[in-house]
């Protein structure tokens, strides 16, 4: 690795004299015109830190001198994959002409692990990845990360393009005083979102149609429980199973609530807190009903996604809620009689609730942020690396891998190779590396999943409602939230479980609302409203 | 041993191996317990990340007041106390009883077998123990519920019932530790001068009276010291185990000061507040040890200091 970087570096140094020419070349290559314009802009700005004549043009390499960057980020969700050694990650560093010294931690507890380090605030690596988006600006105000505006103006060829493409992102990432501190890692927002999935065979067996309303859904669960849909003569069916983190997302939308982000804005621009809404009582009453009838598992709160998979593989469960991806990539292939041309565990349209609400929640497009730390030895280099790593070129590599290895191009269309379709192989290869500013690609997913799945996904697009945007809080708002919200979080999560399991009667719901009020939820809402108003104003 | 009058250097040379054995323990406490102590300063400040413990403004007792006014103050105090007190109440005498039984076992093979089996759980890590508990008690496929159903009883959703948390926590704690804790008592019983028993036999003392009048009084110093130490630890419940076993539906009985500190400090990044709560916890511990020690000195003429 190191050797190769040296070679690249020496190549570029020897070519430093003709660097301007190189910049010109890249502009005239296969890239679009806007890239050429960006390159010209980058070349025109004076770059004091790098040697004269070298100008970063948005393409690799980002420097003509050997440079090393320390980056703290998450490792793969797969235990047996080390992203620091993954070919895709190494290729990006190689093309950037930078040696990266990765420090990658397990993703599950990543933020908890780095929070004390950020609090200590000393000897931070050059670039730090955060899954917590610093909404209350604690790390920003502590001066842990440097503002990037100047670098974006000078060198942010690709970042600027990204912000042009997604103006909302720029609005989200801009602090109230107009600065930008973090660069985003992006998720697709309208495709392959979490949704309800049902076992089509079970529906056929019981001559049921796909449920369209919440009532039909409940009826379906009852029939799954008693009608022996798996046909083994035993009443071993657990009609519905899911990872409890999806529960609120799954049922909340039928009552018009966003129990995933908790805060949401209505059409009139008013901000609500889902746990503090009258509709939340209906949600609780409904789930309490399911719990009492045994349609919601008694140990629903401790179900793991592995257990969900296991229940499908034993054919004892018929419904779940999870990311769309799992339909044809995880669950359907578990069945021996699965025919890849037809869905088996299939996504359905959102369930219409008692007041006609029917939608699925989109994801916040920002899944993580990269900041250049105050301790960075060469913040300019760190920024340039991030800019390059956010380029379309890099994003192609994240999504598709390397040509000839994971994909081939035929008639101008990319196709994954056999290896490229092998999940284990591509994970080892570093596909969609979570330690990079990736942007998930719908095109790449479309060719990876079963054709019925890709088609179904496009039908679901119209049901996706954008989530509450990410907006920074001012210091006073943040201080109020930091004081009040931790206890409210404890209270609401505890009460939700109690109401659902019937430990607490729903007659006490008004008392619950009163407690929330006395705990100060309205002060938090006031702050959130002010933030949302600022966000709307910034978008105008 | 009376060391009065012996110069320090001589003492050190004499006990050098003992001191060397003590060194790692000393280092552990120095590095992990004494070095971080100045950090409590941030309990009285408004800590700003990256500015160190001397940065940020002084806020006096603001965080302590905030905690005292929290709706969870008494619940946390109660849970923390009870989750440490129950294991003490129900678990403290078990190792003593077990040690006495083990010493009485004459069959060497069975004795070693019994000891090994009871020591083993001590070496299982908390994560694994928590996993075992959750699996065994699961209402869908746990062993315990399978038995309950066979006995014609209702399934119990153990991990979701606040009423069960303390029982599960205490019982599993005793199961895990009684064998290992008995070692120190076994050693103490072995160390009792056999002449005491011989003279007892001459006086015609029966087995039970021998136990009551000879063994237990000889164990008294050990028992008192260990009890004192446990009282000192009463406010420091096993954080990992609570964290691994609790969930929002059992917060009622399971949420303790240390888990609250974790959620506040590490998850919500309210470092100053979390430090204040942690410091409060230590103060309560200190007061408890102090009074336990005084009581012991008065009634037993035995104390830590």
């Amino acid at each position: 690795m190191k050797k190769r970087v040296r070679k690249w570096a020496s190549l570029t140094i020897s070519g430093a004299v003709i660097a301007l020419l190189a910049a010109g070349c890249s502009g005239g290559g296969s890239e679009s015109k806007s890239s050429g314009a960006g390159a010209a802009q980058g070349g025109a700005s004076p770059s004091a830190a790098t040697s004269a004549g070298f100008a970063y043009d948005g393409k690799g390499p980002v420097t003509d001198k050997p440079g090393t960057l320390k980056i703290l980020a998450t490792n793969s969700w797969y235990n047996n994959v080390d992203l620091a050694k993954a070919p895709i990650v190494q290729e990006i560093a190689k093309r950037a002409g930078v040696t990266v010294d990765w420090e990658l931690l397990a993703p599950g507890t990543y933020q908890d692990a780095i929070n004390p380090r950020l609090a200590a605030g000393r000897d931070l690596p050059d670039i730090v990845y955060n899954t917590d988006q610093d909404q209350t600006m604690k790390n920003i105000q502590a001066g842990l990360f440097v503002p990037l505006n100047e670098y974006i103006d000078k060198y942010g060829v690709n970042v600027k393009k990204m912000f042009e493409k997604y103006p909302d992102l720029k609005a989200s990432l801009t602090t109230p005083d107009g600065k930008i501190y973090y660069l985003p890692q992006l998720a697709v927002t309208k495709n392959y979102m979490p949704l309800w999935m049902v076992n089509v065979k079970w529906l056929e067996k019981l001559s049921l149609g796909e449920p369209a309303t919440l009532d039909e859904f409940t009826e379906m669960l009852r029939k799954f429980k008693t009608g022996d849909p798996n046909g083994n003569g035993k009443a071993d069916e657990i009609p519905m199973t899911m990872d409890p983190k999806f529960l609120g997302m799954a049922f909340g939308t039928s009552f018009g609530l966003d129990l995933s982000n908790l805060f949401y804005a209505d059409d009139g621009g008013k901000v609500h807190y889902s746990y503090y809404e009258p509709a939340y009582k209906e949600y609780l009453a409904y789930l309490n009903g399911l719990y009492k009838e045994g349609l919601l598992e008694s140990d629903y709160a401790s179900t793991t996604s592995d257990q969900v998979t296991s229940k499908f593989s034993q054919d004892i469960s018929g419904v779940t809620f999870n990311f769309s991806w799992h339909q044809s990539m995880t669950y359907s292939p578990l069945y021996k009689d699965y025919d890849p041309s037809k869905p088996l565990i299939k996504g359905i349209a959102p369930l219409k609730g008692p007041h006609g609400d029917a939608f699925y929640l989109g994801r916040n497009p920002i899944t993580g942020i990269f900041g250049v730390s105050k301790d960075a030895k060469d913040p300019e280099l760190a920024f340039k690396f991030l800019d390059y790593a956010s380029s379309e070129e890099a994003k192609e590599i994240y999504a598709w891998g390397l040509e000839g290895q994971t994909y081939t191009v035929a008639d101008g269309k990319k196709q994954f190779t056999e290896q490229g379709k092998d999940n284990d192989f591509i994970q080892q290869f570093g596909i969609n590396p979570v330690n990079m500013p990736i942007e998930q690609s719908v095109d790449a997913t479309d060719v990876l999943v079963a054709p019925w799945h890709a088609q179904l996904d496009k039908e679901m697009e119209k049901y996706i409602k954008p989530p509450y945007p990410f907006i920074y809080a001012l210091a006073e708002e943040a201080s109020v939230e930091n004081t009040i919200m931790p206890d409210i979080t404890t209270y609401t999560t505890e009460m939700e479980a109690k109401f659902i399991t019937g430990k607490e009667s729903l007659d006490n719901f008004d008392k619950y609302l009163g407690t929330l009020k006395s705990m100060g939820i309205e002060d938090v809402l006031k702050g959130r409203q002010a933030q949302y108003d600022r966000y709307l104003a910034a978008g105008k | 041993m009376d060391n009065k009058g012996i110069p320090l250097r001589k003492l050190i040379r004499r006990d050098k191996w003992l001191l060397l054995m003590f060194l790692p323990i000393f280092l552990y406490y120095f590095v992990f317990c004494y070095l971080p102590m100045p950090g409590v300063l941030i309990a009285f400040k408004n800590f700003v990340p990256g500015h160190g413990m001397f940065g940020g403004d002084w806020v006096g007792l603001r965080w302590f007041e905030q905690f005292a006014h929290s709706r969870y103050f008494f619940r946390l105090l109660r849970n923390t106390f009870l989750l440490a007190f129950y294991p003490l109440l129900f678990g403290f005498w078990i190792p003593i009883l077990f040690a006495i039984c083990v010493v009485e076992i004459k069959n060497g093979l069975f004795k070693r077998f019994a000891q090994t089996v009871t020591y083993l759980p001590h070496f299982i890590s908390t994560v694994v123990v928590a996993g075992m508990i959750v699996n065994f008690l699961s209402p869908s496929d746990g062993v315990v519920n399978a038995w309950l159903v066979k006995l014609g009883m209702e399934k119990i959703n153990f991990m979701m019932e606040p009423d069960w948390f303390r029982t599960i926590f205490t019982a599993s704690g005793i199961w895990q530790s009684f064998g290992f804790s008995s070692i120190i008592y076994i050693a103490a019983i072995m160390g009792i001068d056999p002449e005491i028993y011989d003279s007892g036999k001459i006086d015609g003392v029966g087995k039970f009276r021998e136990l009551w009048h000879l063994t237990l009084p000889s164990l008294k110093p050990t028992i008192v010291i260990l009890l004192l130490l446990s009282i000192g630890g009463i406010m420091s419940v096993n954080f990992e185990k609570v964290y691994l076993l609790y969930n929002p539906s059992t917060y009622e009985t399971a949420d303790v000061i240390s888990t609250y500190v974790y959620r506040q400090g590490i998850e919500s990044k309210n470092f100053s507040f979390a430090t204040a709560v942690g410091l409060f916890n230590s103060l309560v511990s200190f007061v408890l040890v102090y009074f336990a020690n005084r009581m012991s000195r008065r009634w037993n003429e035995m104390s830590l200091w």
Side-chain angles (χ1 to χ4, degrees), chain B residues 14-80:
Chain B
R14 188 189 72 191
D15 296 335
K16 58 176 183 276
W17 297 115
L18 285 178
L19 286 171
L20 197 68
M21 282 161 74
F22 172 68
L23 188 68
I25 296 141
F26 171 79
L27 280 180
Y28 171 83
Y29 279 97
F30 182 71
V31 172
F32 292 107
C33 298
Y34 284 86
L35 268 188
M37 254 186 213
V40 299
L41 213 62
I42 68 168
F44 306 95
K45 293 191 146 223
N46 193 2
F47 177 74
V48 182
H51 289 216
M53 60 195 208
F54 298 108
D57 307 321
W58 290 99
V59 295
L61 296 177
R62 177 175 149 193
W63 307 119
F64 293 91
E65 275 164 31
Q66 188 182 323
F67 180 49
H69 290 134
S70 162
R71 61 180 282 114
Y72 295 119
F73 178 73
F74 286 106
R75 185 171 94 177
L76 290 168
L77 215 56
R78 183 194 68 207
N79 288 344
T80 309

Side-chain angles (χ1 to χ4, degrees), chain A residues 291-306:
Chain A
Y291 185 81
K292 276 196 289 208
E293 268 190 73
L295 300 175
L296 180 65
E297 292 173 275
S298 52
D299 51 352
Y300 76 91
S302 56
T303 305
T304 63
S305 54
D306 288 344

Side-chain angles (χ1 to χ4, degrees), chain A residues 46-286:
Chain A
S47 51
T50 40
S51 58
F54 178 83
Y56 169 60
D57 62 355
K59 301 188 134 213
V62 303
T63 174
D64 59 350
K65 288 183 287 193
T68 304
L69 287 173
K70 273 189 140 160
I71 306 181
L72 174 62
T74 57
N75 214 332
S76 167
W77 284 94
Y78 291 78
N79 281 329
N80 58 346
V81 176
D82 182 8
L83 285 176
K85 298 200 182 87
I88 287 178
V89 174
Q90 296 193 340
E91 176 74 14
I92 299 296
K94 188 178 106 183
R95 292 196 187 191
V98 172
T99 310
V100 180
D101 182 0
W102 291 104
E103 184 181 351
L104 302 177
L105 308 178
T109 50
Y110 177 76
Q111 197 66 40
D112 287 358
I114 70 161
N115 276 347
R117 260 174 87 174
L118 291 173
R122 261 180 290 168
D123 305 324
L124 294 173
D126 298 304
I127 295 173
V128 180
Y129 169 75
N130 284 273
T131 48
D132 176 338
Q133 293 166 31
D134 202 12
Q135 195 254 338
T136 53
M137 291 175 53
K138 272 191 184 171
N139 296 337
I140 290 177
Q141 267 152 12
L144 296 184
F145 297 101
V146 297
L148 302 173
N149 301 49
E150 197 189 321
Y151 299 121
I152 294 174
D153 289 344
K154 270 195 199 163
Y155 314 111
V157 186
N158 299 304
V159 171
K160 270 187 276 195
K161 260 190 262 174
M162 179 168 64
F163 285 160
E164 264 164 44
K165 193 169 157 198
Y166 307 112
D168 288 355
L169 269 186
K170 193 178 177 188
S172 273
L173 288 166
T174 306
T175 59
D177 61 355
K179 294 223 170 73
I180 292 174
Y181 290 86
Y182 301 112
L183 295 181
Q185 181 185 60
L186 300 174
V188 288
T189 52
K190 276 197 169 257
N191 296 86
Y192 299 102
M193 286 295 107
L195 79 176
W196 283 113
M197 305 170 196
V198 298
N199 185 326
V200 181
K201 292 238 152 110
W202 283 24
L203 288 180
E204 280 167 12
K205 175 107 198 266
L206 301 172
S207 336
L208 293 165
E210 286 177 19
T213 67
L214 204 56
D215 289 339
E216 286 173 24
F217 181 79
T218 322
E219 204 41 48
M220 177 190 76
L221 290 182
R222 290 193 186 112
K223 295 209 165 118
F224 276 2
K225 193 175 163 75
T226 54
D228 191 26
N230 63 10
N232 64 357
K234 282 187 276 184
D236 56 353
E237 285 86 355
I238 297 158
M240 173 175 68
T241 181
M242 74 176 86
D243 184 327
K245 74 176 177 211
F246 289 115
L247 192 69
M249 203 175 182
F251 287 107
T253 55
S254 293
F255 298 90
L257 301 169
D258 177 347
L259 288 166
S260 172
N261 300 285
L262 299 178
F263 291 95
Y264 66 94
D266 60 25
D267 296 336
K270 187 166 182 286
V271 177
H272 301 258
Y273 181 56
S274 291
Y275 284 143
Y276 191 57
E277 288 295 306
Y280 179 53
K281 185 178 181 181
E282 297 173 41
Y283 160 87
L284 290 172
Y286 176 74

Side-chain angles (χ1 to χ4, degrees), chain A residues 400 402-407 415-429 431 448:
Chain A
W400 292 92
L402 300 173
E403 189 170 356
Q405 296 193 59
T406 49
Y407 74 95
Q415 273 300 334
F416 281 107
T417 60
E418 276 310 303
Q419 267 186 332
K421 284 181 183 161
D422 175 2
N423 194 42
D424 196 49
F425 179 82
I426 55 174
Q427 294 303 340
Q428 293 286 353
F429 207 74
I431 200 88
L448 205 56

Side-chain angles (χ1 to χ4, degrees), chain A residues 112 115 119-121 132 138-139 142 291 298-299 301 482-483 486-487 490-491 493-494 497-498 503 515 519, chain B residues 47 49-51 66 70-72 75 138 140 157 160-161 248-249 251-252 260 262-264 266 268-271:
Chain A
D112 287 358
N115 276 347
D132 176 338
K138 272 191 184 171
N139 296 337
Y291 185 81
S298 52
D299 51 352
N482 286 332
T483 315
D487 274 359
T490 301
Y491 183 65
T493 47
E494 181 180 344
K498 280 187 172 173
K503 284 257 135 39
T515 309
M519 291 175 89
Chain B
F47 177 74
H51 289 216
Q66 188 182 323
S70 162
R71 61 180 282 114
Y72 295 119
R75 185 171 94 177
S138 156
S140 51
N157 200 350
M160 299 279 286
E161 297 277 354
S249 60
Y251 277 175
E252 181 81 50
Y260 184 74
Y262 181 81
R263 290 204 308 276
Q264 281 276 357
I266 307 291
S268 306
K269 295 190 278 185
N270 292 323
F271 294 105

